[in-house]
Amino acid sequence: MAASPTYRLSIFDSIDDGHHTDYLAYLIHQFSHKPDVELLLIVPENFIQSFKNNRQVWGFDLGNNIHFHPLDSSTIQRLHGQSIYKRSMSEWNLYVDISEAWEASHGLLMYFDYFQLGMLLGKKAHFQLGGIYFRPNFYYRKASWKSAFIKKWMLRLSTLRSSMKVLFSLDHKAVKHIRPLLRKTQVMRISDPVRAYEVSAEELLAFREKWHVPANKKVCLLFGNLDPRKGIEVFLQSTKHLTSEELGQLCLLVAGSISPAYQAHLEKLFQQYPSLEIISIFQEIKGKDIQLCFEAADLVLMLYQNHVGMSSVLIRASISKKVVLGTHYGLLGKLIQSMHLGLVVDAQSPVQIAEQLEQYLNLGIGFSNEQMEKMEQENSEKAFADTLYQGLFL
C-alpha cells in the first residue's frame, strides 16, 4: 500500500487576540489528528506560550506534527507599527521567507484581507496558497463604486499573481460575487468555527456568584474583543429612552478583552448610568468561561457598527439557545432575520434599540430552536478544519 502523502502547511497570523487565537487553537487540535499534514504556525510567541500553558484546561490536543515559529514582541511591534500598506508588504515577505525556508508545500493566510497588496507587489510564493476572506463587502449596496472597483481589482490581481489555489469566504452570500472575478482560484464557503462546552448547573451558579450576576433581571450580554465597533455606547444611550421600571429589569454584562485606554473610557462612561446595573469582566475569556457568559445571559447584544461578514457571537448565542438583538446591516442582519434568531435594529439608533428592548421586556422575542441547532452544527470546529483540508489539499 502506498504511503499517505504528506503535506507541509504553513499558517501565518500576527494577531494574538479575539477570534484569531480561537481559530488557531481549533486548527492545532483538529490537525493534530491528521498525520498526513505537517503544520507550521508562524504566530506571536505570546500565543504559543498561552496555548501550551492552558491547552489541557481548554481541552486542545497538540500532536507531534505541529510546529511553531514564534514571532517575538519586538517583531510584532515593528510589523503592527507600520501603515496598513507597508504592513501588508512586510508580513507577506516575512511569511514567504519563513515558509520557503521550511519547504512548505501549502500555505494558509488566516486573514487574507490584509495581504493582498503584499501578494501583488511582494515576493513570489512558490507553494500552493489558500486564504480566509473576512470582509468581501464590495457587493454591499452601501459600498461606493470606487471602493468596490478597487477591491475587485485587488482581489483579481493578487490571487492571479500568487497562483492562489483556494479562497475561503466567511461571508457565504459573497461567494457568488467572488467566483466570476477569479479564473483559476477555487472559492469555497467556510463556517465561522465555535467550540461548544458542557456546563453544569453547579458551574453556572458559581459563575453567577463570582460575578454577582442577578437572577431577577434580564441579563444583556455584550461579548467579545471590546472596542467602539461593538456598540456599547449606543446601547447605553438607548437606556435613556426606557422608563425607570424597564431600566430596573435590565442588567448589562460586558465581557471580553479590552485595551487599557478603552477600559478607562468605559469605566468613566458607566458612572453616568447609575440606574443601570452593569457588570464588567474586562479580561480575555477562554474555554468553558465563554460558554458560562452566554449561559448566564438572557439576551445577546450584537449592535455592531456597520459590521461586515459573520461573527462567532451569533453562533455562541445559538449554542446556548439565547435570543439576539442585533444589527440589521449586512450578513448578520440577514441571518438573524432569515433564521429567526432574534430581532434586528438600526444599530446606530438609540431610539430604535430602546423600542426593541421595550418589546423584549413586555412581549418577549420569538426564535427558532431548530435553526439555532442548525447554526451550531454547521459552525463546529471540525467542520471548519475539514473544509480547509478539502480546499487546500484535495
Side-chain angles (χ1 to χ4, degrees), residues 8 88 99-100 118 124 177 191 329 341 368:
R8 293 176 67 83
S88 177
S99 298
E100 295 199 335
K124 180 74 172 179
H177 300 279
S191 297
Y329 181 77
L341 304 177
S368 169

Side-chain angles (χ1 to χ4, degrees), residues 207-222 232 235-236 239 242-255 266 269-281 296 298 301 357:
F207 178 86
R208 286 181 170 276
E209 291 177 346
K210 177 180 179 180
W211 296 105
H212 308 289
V213 180
N216 61 341
K217 293 187 176 184
K218 296 295 185 182
V219 178
C220 303
L221 172 66
L222 204 155
I232 302 173
F235 174 82
L236 292 173
T239 63
L242 300 177
T243 66
S244 58
E245 181 182 352
E246 290 168 338
L247 196 59
Q249 297 178 55
L250 295 177
C251 170
L252 175 63
L253 173 58
V254 182
L266 285 186
L269 184 62
F270 289 165
Q271 294 175 7
Q272 300 176 25
Y273 295 85
S275 298
L276 174 64
E277 183 172 0
I278 302 175
I279 301 169
S280 54
I281 308 177
D298 298 289
L301 301 174
L357 288 172

Side-chain angles (χ1 to χ4, degrees), residues 150-205:
I150 292 173
K151 287 198 171 188
K152 290 178 181 179
W153 177 80
M154 283 294 297
L155 175 62
R156 182 184 291 114
L157 292 184
S158 63
T159 53
L160 183 63
R161 197 246 177 181
S162 62
S163 301
M164 198 163 193
K165 181 178 187 292
V166 59
L167 185 66
F168 303 97
S169 177
L170 282 166
D171 186 339
H172 294 182
K173 294 184 181 298
V175 171
K176 66 181 180 181
H177 300 279
I178 298 173
R179 280 181 175 147
L181 301 174
L182 307 184
R183 296 179 181 177
K184 299 180 180 179
T185 301
Q186 182 182 9
V187 184
M188 296 179 65
R189 296 171 39 166
I190 193 166
S191 297
D192 203 346
V194 170
R195 166 175 281 210
Y197 296 88
E198 292 292 332
V199 173
S200 68
E202 293 76 15
E203 288 172 322
L204 180 56
L205 179 61

Side-chain angles (χ1 to χ4, degrees), residues 28-29 32 51-52 55 60-68:
I28 291 171
H29 176 71
S32 290
F51 180 83
K52 288 184 175 179
R55 68 177 186 84
F60 291 102
D61 293 330
L62 177 59
N64 293 329
N65 60 328
I66 309 298
H67 314 283
F68 296 100

Side-chain angles (χ1 to χ4, degrees), residues 288-328:
K288 189 175 289 189
D289 286 341
I290 298 174
Q291 192 90 17
L292 287 167
C293 286
F294 283 81
E295 295 294 338
D298 298 289
L299 177 68
V300 176
L301 301 174
M302 301 188 67
L303 302 173
Y304 301 164
Q305 304 298 294
N306 290 333
H307 178 83
V308 176
M310 187 53 173
S311 171
S312 61
V313 171
L314 184 61
I315 304 159
R316 295 191 184 282
S318 295
I319 290 173
S320 297
K321 302 297 186 290
K322 304 297 179 177
V323 71
V324 170
L325 175 58
T327 176
H328 67 0

